[in-house]
Amino acid sequence: MQRSDLSREDATEVTPSPELDATIVRRLGDMGVSRRQFMASLTRMASLLALPPSMLPQLAMAATSPTKPSVVYMSFQECTGCLESMVNSFAFKGGGTIENLLLNVVSIDYQETLMAAAGAQAEHQLASSTAKSGYVLVVDGSIPASANSGYFVSGGRSGAERFRSAAANAGLIVAVGTCASFGGLPKADPNPTGAVSIKDMMASLGIAKPLINVSGCPPIPEVITGTILLYLASGMPALDTLLRPKTFYGRTVHSHCYREESFEDGPRVKAFDDAASRKGGCLFDMGCKGPVTKAACSSIKWNQGLSFPIQSGHPCMGCTEPNFWDRVNKGGKKGFYVPLAGSYDD
Amino acid sequence: MREEKVVRHVLLQVEAALDQLGKGGSPSTIDLRQVPGLEAKAYQLLKSRLGSGEVSASIATSDGVAETVRAAETAFSGVWWITHHNGAGDTVTEQIEICPFPAIFAAHPEEIRDSAVRLGPLCNQNAEVEAS
């Protein structure tokens, strides 16, 4: 095999080895943190996040920065699964000083579920957190398009009104989860609340701010925190046409799937728990949406890299893609277990 | 075989990185977790092809109970196999580093300067003991 034979899909990234500058080493010394332990911890995190090792100095700079960017996290029509996922991204084993240092890379100044304040105190906290400019506004859940729909009213204000005022001074808006990114379950047929995505809500309210979509139901924990870290370390990441970071959404689940070999050569799974299933056969005929789903599930995986749905024998549901609840598949049918229409000779 | 293709691909990358390093270029790293198709068989094949060398080093946790990083020279000088463990000792990620010696192990110039500052009072303390 010659170098010219290497396809783009096969490309392994060889990156310059990271070196920390004196400023970061001094900051670590002041914090009483071992440089070696810190580097080891960052390396593990960067690897989990599928970031190139050459980005470590920038991540280190962001992680040791004396100023913590403010994050305002607002929830709308959602199930709290995305927040649960994000909180789990900090559940690294050990949980010592260095992990706490990484955890404290941002200051979460408002989050209804996590904060102790409620009622008027919470509303006051939201007002004061959003009075300053330049904070990162993280949003999960979709919002009813109409301010007068009667759906989603909190603190006496509609979702649209709450979002409009929270977005006014934000420097960046991050839509976390498929509900915020594309409408998700609330927008699924028949969409009783008239839910729209954050992008569409911004358009209807005339809000022109940078937006990153971190889709998934929920997104992988490391993808949520990795996106924020990427932004802090090097500014706006490269996005795909659906405004998702290419680092995490650049490839299909199928392209990294360990069952991909039997997609081409067979035998494919024809029924759950059949012989092919037990041998790790391809789940395409069981409705797997991996070939059309851009996500890092088959590379970063879940639960600190332990597994992902296909590895547990279940087809990919395509949850990072728009309208995945209502996707029309083979034979014009909807459903997670209906195979994709057309052929996918990857 | 798929694993043969994956391993040859990685080895070609290592060869290119070694070539660059030998000509005075910078050290480089390959994150094995991010190599497409490096499943169990390909992983074992790659490990056996690179073999083992004379040197190994490790960094222990702050309490010294477990290893957090282990570097082992391969049969090819300048090619290091680095293994990262979490607090429970599980392997989290592995890398191939192409360098004279992995930077994480070497003392940083800032740490060397700090050592000199910290050692000063100790020298003075010894001088006082000798004088008395």
Side-chain angles (χ1 to χ4, degrees), chain B residues 39-104:
Chain B
E39 298 297 341
K41 277 186 192 170
Y43 169 88
Q44 288 301 339
L45 186 61
L46 178 63
K47 205 158 192 178
S48 69
R49 290 270 162 85
L50 286 175
S52 56
E54 296 172 315
V55 183
S56 66
S58 65
I59 299 172
T61 50
S62 51
D63 55 10
V65 172
E67 226 174 42
T68 54
V69 185
R70 181 171 185 78
E73 189 188 35
T74 69
F76 303 89
S77 286
V79 182
W80 298 82
W81 191 286
I82 319 278
T83 309
H84 285 263
H85 305 282
N86 61 18
D90 304 322
T91 298
V92 178
T93 190
E94 291 178 281
Q95 297 177 324
I96 293 174
E97 200 163 330
I98 300 95
C99 59
F101 189 64
I104 193 169

Side-chain angles (χ1 to χ4, degrees), chain A residues 1 3 6 10 12 14-17 20 26 35-37 40 43-44 47-48 50-51 93 261 300 305, chain B residues 2 5 8-9 13 15 27-29 31 33-34 60-61 69 85 90 93 95 104-106 108 110-111:
Chain A
M1 184 172 66
R3 284 180 185 79
L6 301 175
D10 288 335
T12 298
V14 184
T15 66
S17 299
L20 295 188
R26 272 198 301 275
R35 173 187 59 89
R36 293 188 176 105
Q37 300 292 0
T43 302
R44 291 193 292 272
S47 181
L48 283 170
L51 300 177
K93 288 177 185 173
E261 214 162 315
I300 293 180
Chain B
R2 186 182 169 89
K5 184 184 169 191
R8 288 180 71 186
H9 175 209
Q13 303 275 22
E15 184 200 17
S28 47
T29 304
D31 187 344
R33 204 168 189 274
Q34 296 179 34
T61 50
V69 185
H85 305 282
D90 304 322
T93 190
Q95 297 177 324
I104 193 169
F105 291 94
H108 193 280
E110 192 62 26
E111 293 167 333

Side-chain angles (χ1 to χ4, degrees), chain A:
Chain A
M1 184 172 66
Q2 302 298 311
R3 284 180 185 79
S4 58
D5 296 332
L6 301 175
S7 69
R8 192 175 174 79
E9 196 63 40
D10 288 335
T12 298
E13 196 164 2
V14 184
T15 66
S17 299
E19 281 183 32
L20 295 188
D21 68 20
T23 307
I24 298 172
V25 176
R26 272 198 301 275
R27 281 181 191 169
L28 291 170
D30 292 344
M31 293 170 179
V33 174
S34 149
R35 173 187 59 89
R36 293 188 176 105
Q37 300 292 0
F38 177 76
M39 281 297 285
S41 185
L42 263 191
T43 302
R44 291 193 292 272
M45 177 174 261
S47 181
L48 283 170
L49 299 176
L51 300 177
S54 57
M55 274 204 68
L56 255 61
Q58 288 164 282
L59 293 175
M61 188 62 90
T64 58
S65 171
T67 54
K68 310 291 178 201
S70 170
V71 169
V72 174
Y73 190 124
M74 296 188 74
S75 299
F76 293 92
Q77 294 188 136
E78 47 79 46
C79 68
T80 316
C82 294
L83 177 66
E84 178 76 14
S85 183
M86 190 175 111
V87 170
N88 281 343
S89 73
F90 300 127
F92 290 103
K93 288 177 185 173
T97 309
I98 295 162
E99 281 74 12
N100 288 339
L101 188 67
L102 297 174
L103 167 63
N104 289 323
V105 91
V106 295
S107 168
I108 300 179
D109 294 332
Y110 180 86
Q111 210 301 314
E112 292 135 2
T113 308
L114 299 179
M115 64 200 287
Q121 281 182 324
E123 290 296 280
H124 176 72
Q125 177 64 23
L126 178 61
S128 62
S129 300
T130 54
K132 306 162 284 189
S133 61
Y135 52 86
V136 177
L137 176 62
V138 176
V139 180
D140 69 3
S142 53
I143 303 176
S146 167
N148 303 313
S149 70
Y151 292 106
F152 196 89
V153 176
S154 176
R157 294 186 298 158
S158 69
E161 185 47 42
R162 289 180 74 82
F163 176 73
R164 182 210 303 269
S165 57
N169 293 327
L172 168 73
I173 298 172
V174 182
V176 167
T178 296
C179 295
S181 298
F182 308 126
L185 177 62
K187 186 172 171 252
D189 185 41
N191 191 3
T193 66
V196 294
S197 67
I198 295 306
K199 182 176 177 242
D200 289 347
M201 178 55 67
M202 287 170 67
S204 69
L205 295 175
I207 297 171
K209 302 265 180 181
L211 170 69
I212 302 175
N213 284 330
V214 184
S215 61
C217 191
I220 298 171
E222 289 84 355
V223 170
I224 303 175
T225 47
T227 299
I228 295 173
L229 255 184
L230 260 182
Y231 174 74
L232 295 179
S234 53
M236 198 69 172
L239 304 177
D240 68 6
T241 55
L242 295 172
L243 305 183
R244 302 175 297 191
K246 285 183 178 175
T247 304
F248 303 116
Y249 297 90
R251 289 177 173 167
T252 64
V253 170
H254 181 73
S255 68
H256 267 193
C257 182
Y258 72 103
R259 299 191 188 219
E260 187 266 344
E261 214 162 315
S262 63
F263 172 79
E264 293 168 359
D265 305 331
R268 292 182 187 175
V269 176
K270 298 295 179 190
F272 287 119
D273 206 32
D274 69 4
S277 173
R278 289 193 292 273
K279 286 178 184 168
C282 176
L283 293 158
F284 182 84
D285 297 328
M286 301 304 293
C288 186
K289 307 299 184 291
V292 296
T293 303
K294 298 276 184 72
C297 293
S298 52
S299 51
I300 293 180
K301 301 186 180 178
W302 290 77
N303 298 322
Q304 283 84 57
L306 182 70
S307 185
F308 69 112
I310 291 171
Q311 198 168 334
S312 301
H314 193 280
C316 166
M317 301 197 304
C319 75
T320 59
E321 297 300 317
N323 305 316
F324 82 99
W325 289 91
D326 295 322
R327 172 184 283 281
V328 177
N329 303 299
K330 195 173 183 180
K333 293 178 183 171
K334 294 180 181 179
F336 294 139
Y337 302 103
V338 181
L340 286 165
S343 63
Y344 291 88
D345 299 323
D346 194 51

